[in-house]
Amino acid sequence: MIFAGFGGQGVLFAGKVAAYAGLIAGKEISWLPSYGPEMRGGTANCSVCVSDRPIGSPLVTAPNVLVAMNLPSLDKFIDTVEPGGTVILDSSLIGKKVEREDLTVYYVPSSSLAEEKGLAGLSNMILTGKLFQAVCANGEHPCAFCGEDVLDQALEKCVPARKANMLDLNRQALALGRAS
Amino acid sequence: MKVLMKGNEALAEAAIRAGCRHFFGYPITPQTELAAYMSKRMPKVGGTYLQAESEISAINMVLGAASAGVRAMTSSSSPGISLKSEGISYMAGSDLPALIINVQRGGPGLGGIQPSQADYWQATKATGHGDFQILVFAPSTVQEMVDLVSDAFDAADRWRMPAMILADGMLGQMMEPVALPEEGRAQLVEKPWAAAGHGGKRPHNVINSLYLTPDKLEELVAARYFRYDQVKRQEQRAETYLCEDAELILVAYGASARVARSAVNQARERGRKVGLIRPITLWPFPADCLQEAAKTAKAFLSVEMSMGQMVDDVKLAIDCKAPVHFYGRTGGMIPTPAGVLEEIERLV
């Protein structure tokens, strides 16, 4: 999986939640961030592998799943997605439609939803909620690797104790994404 | 349950659990999380975290702490290790154990900040001036980073020489599940040679690397090389993967070994007889393992994130009994399994 967007949107955090879910589900996992001289507002992405076998290269070059939070990220990675793969994108920030016809694309207006529901900054978790509903915890999907209950456990692992007050807001955002 | 940790943070936590209470560093990408983690954790365990004014200063603080017999370490990335090389040479010349971590980035010069293995020669051949070696360990997973930290400290103490963990930006930045050793389990050895105060009850110990009499210096260096011979016999480590019937054996360490392993799996699915030898110690180089493999393998392929710095060591290890090919990327580029597979197909 690749999670990509602007720095500050929480793509690395979203990837970490997915990675923890894989760990809790007993899979081999890796999480590799892009790193560089970028800062808030620049682009950021991370590669997450969830596998039954030990993971070789943690760098994802042909993702089965792409979560895109802005247009530059979609443009950068859309051609690398495996045929038959899944794309989940923030349709409130990405105005255009995906041209490839061999992909399943979910258009989630996550930024607008987050604003409306008082969950500013949690667009990433809305998309993550959708990711779990559509892929990770969807028994029909070839890339499914966990049950519905794992997502909440993974979230608890990723929200540090000093930010415990954020846990409920994150849960609301995940639920919103799952229902979208 | 295992926890998810970044390689850099796992190295730091593992060092604390191995009994290290003295860290001296200076920030540099892609290693900085290690120092940042130490700055938070060291005060909580009664240790010393000190950000020095430069790399040269940091390594000399390590020298001082190691002289007093405590487990001391520093960490940096490629350009910073070059600055530390003088101090490492002084430590080798003073027979001091310490741990140096290099989370490599592209070079030469300031180079870039993406993952690289272009400091292989520096780590294994010339970490500084003079006749000396240091122990070099090359982890390829975050778990192995944890495991090798205590092994490196132990080996450094055992042989009274500096040890290095040669990682890279990929391993430093990535997160994987790790099981950490329990706290308070580290076995620290007595260091009767340390200059740690004696209350006038014994002659004072001297820690020094300056010997102006050539025959005395030669004698000391020769004694050190006698020890290196023992290290070569006892400390070589490597992992073999699908080598039994392999006609082509890939040799790769660290991050590139992960890529090579993926390529070997893909080649096996196509029925190609390929295997992988993954050096875990780069010095001493696992020559015995390669010699054994050379009895049956028809060729070797060194896969690296450099311009082929390990090729000569492979050739020497197998006494040139089989051709040694090379595939690599450099400058911060990471080889892909597909790229390695293409090279395998070209060779088999």
Side-chain angles (χ1 to χ4, degrees):
Chain A
M1 294 184 269
I2 287 180
F3 298 77
F6 289 124
Q9 280 183 310
V11 291
L12 302 187
F13 183 84
K16 191 175 170 183
V17 171
Y20 248 115
L23 174 59
I24 293 165
K27 303 292 178 185
E28 302 282 347
I29 65 105
S30 67
W31 175 97
L32 178 73
S34 64
Y35 64 92
E38 297 104 343
M39 51 179 73
R40 194 174 290 260
T43 57
N45 69 77
C46 65
S47 291
V48 175
C49 299
V50 179
S51 174
D52 290 322
R53 297 167 76 182
I55 291 156
S57 177
L59 183 68
V60 174
T61 48
N64 297 109
V65 179
L66 170 66
V67 177
M69 295 190 69
N70 65 10
L71 185 59
S73 298
L74 183 73
D75 288 342
K76 181 173 179 182
F77 293 111
I78 192 65
D79 291 338
T80 68
V81 180
E82 281 277 339
T86 304
V87 179
I88 297 167
L89 58 80
D90 179 353
S91 57
S92 39
L93 292 185
I94 301 171
K96 73 175 184 188
K97 297 285 174 191
V98 172
E99 285 168 16
R100 281 179 63 177
E101 288 174 356
D102 58 339
L103 305 174
T104 307
V105 186
Y106 296 95
Y107 298 91
V108 184
S110 51
S111 297
S112 322
L113 275 173
E115 285 293 333
E116 278 166 31
K117 306 284 179 182
L119 298 169
L122 291 172
S123 166
N124 62 334
M125 286 297 100
I126 294 176
L127 294 174
T128 304
K130 187 68 193 174
L131 168 72
F132 274 73
Q133 182 254 326
V135 179
C136 308
N138 170 13
E140 316 263 294
H141 196 284
C143 295
F145 61 83
C146 68
E148 279 282 341
D149 54 321
V150 168
L151 177 55
D152 196 60
Q153 296 172 45
L155 180 68
E156 281 180 16
K157 290 278 182 194
C158 295
V159 176
R162 66 193 151 80
K163 287 190 180 171
N165 59 325
M166 288 299 290
L167 204 52
D168 266 340
L169 294 173
N170 276 279
R171 283 196 180 112
Q172 287 174 37
L174 287 171
L176 201 57
R178 275 194 273 201
S180 68
Chain B
M1 188 188 143
K2 288 184 177 180
V3 289
L4 268 188
M5 282 184 104
K6 268 194 168 193
N8 282 334
E9 295 175 343
L11 286 167
E13 183 60 34
I16 286 170
R17 293 187 186 213
C20 174
R21 291 293 179 274
H22 297 81
F23 177 91
F24 309 96
Y26 189 81
I28 182 169
T29 304
Q31 160 278 164
T32 301
E33 292 85 359
L34 202 170
Y37 189 93
M38 283 295 196
S39 74
K40 276 184 279 190
R41 272 285 274 152
M42 272 301 189
K44 290 182 185 153
V45 295
T48 301
Y49 164 85
L50 206 155
Q51 182 178 316
E53 72 272 31
S54 73
E55 285 88 348
I56 295 169
S57 182
I59 193 69
N60 282 292
M61 290 174 185
V62 172
L63 186 151
S67 300
V70 298
R71 284 198 160 171
M73 72 181 280
T74 188
S75 62
S76 193
S77 179
S78 310
I81 296 293
S82 293
L83 286 166
K84 283 174 178 166
S85 65
E86 179 194 59
I88 297 170
S89 168
Y90 279 48
M91 280 196 285
S94 310
D95 297 313
L96 289 172
L99 179 61
I100 300 121
I101 288 171
N102 183 1
V103 184
Q104 297 169 91
R105 56 189 252 182
L110 274 176
I113 59 173
Q114 297 304 317
S116 163
Q117 296 179 325
D119 302 346
Y120 178 91
W121 276 337
Q122 183 190 49
T124 60
K125 318 268 185 246
T127 337
H129 60 279
D131 282 317
F132 78 96
Q133 294 285 351
I134 61 170
L135 297 151
V136 184
F137 295 85
S140 79
T141 65
V142 178
Q143 182 65 56
E144 199 175 30
M145 290 169 112
V146 168
D147 300 340
L148 288 181
V149 163
S150 62
D151 290 357
F153 268 123
D154 289 347
D157 281 347
R158 189 156 57 244
W159 300 105
R160 281 187 66 181
M161 57 193 287
M164 176 179 279
I165 289 191
L166 192 66
D168 63 72
M170 178 194 273
L171 292 165
Q173 294 293 325
M174 70 185 284
M175 281 200 285
E176 279 187 311
V178 286
L180 292 160
E182 275 177 53
E183 285 186 74
R185 297 287 296 275
Q187 300 276 325
L188 302 183
V189 294
E190 288 288 312
K191 295 178 180 173
W193 48 263
H198 53 83
K201 293 192 177 106
R202 59 160 169 78
H204 61 267
N205 288 334
V206 177
I207 309 287
N208 178 38
S209 71
L210 175 67
Y211 295 92
L212 292 173
T213 319
D215 55 356
K216 174 68 179 162
L217 182 55
E218 184 188 47
E219 190 185 307
L220 280 167
V221 171
R224 212 167 278 136
Y225 270 72
F226 178 75
R227 205 154 17 108
Y228 293 163
D229 281 338
Q230 293 173 284
V231 175
K232 281 187 202 168
R233 280 197 296 275
Q234 295 179 35
E235 300 286 351
Q236 291 182 28
R237 284 165 73 176
E239 180 189 44
T240 57
Y241 181 64
L242 305 179
C243 285
E244 295 76 16
D245 63 340
E247 289 168 6
L248 174 68
I249 291 181
L250 279 60
V251 186
Y253 68 93
S256 52
R258 302 178 67 113
V259 179
R261 194 182 162 108
S262 293
V264 165
N265 286 336
Q266 289 170 17
R268 282 277 172 180
E269 280 165 19
R270 296 182 180 185
R272 308 292 186 215
K273 289 187 173 173
V274 293
L276 170 69
I277 290 179
R278 179 173 73 84
I280 297 169
T281 52
L282 299 179
W283 198 90
F285 194 71
D288 295 350
C289 174
L290 279 149
Q291 263 165 30
E292 192 58 34
K295 287 177 185 165
T296 49
K298 294 199 178 93
F300 291 80
L301 170 64
S302 186
V303 179
E304 305 176 46
M305 279 143 55
S306 79
M307 292 303 285
Q309 297 186 16
M310 190 170 64
V311 171
D312 289 352
D313 278 347
V314 177
K315 285 183 182 173
L316 284 171
I318 63 167
D319 216 3
C320 294
K321 281 181 188 136
V324 180
H325 305 281
F326 167 68
Y327 177 81
R329 301 294 303 268
T330 197
M333 296 302 293
I334 297 165
T336 61
V340 179
L341 186 62
E342 205 173 297
E343 189 63 20
I344 291 172
E345 289 293 346
R346 215 176 59 76
L347 293 170
V348 294

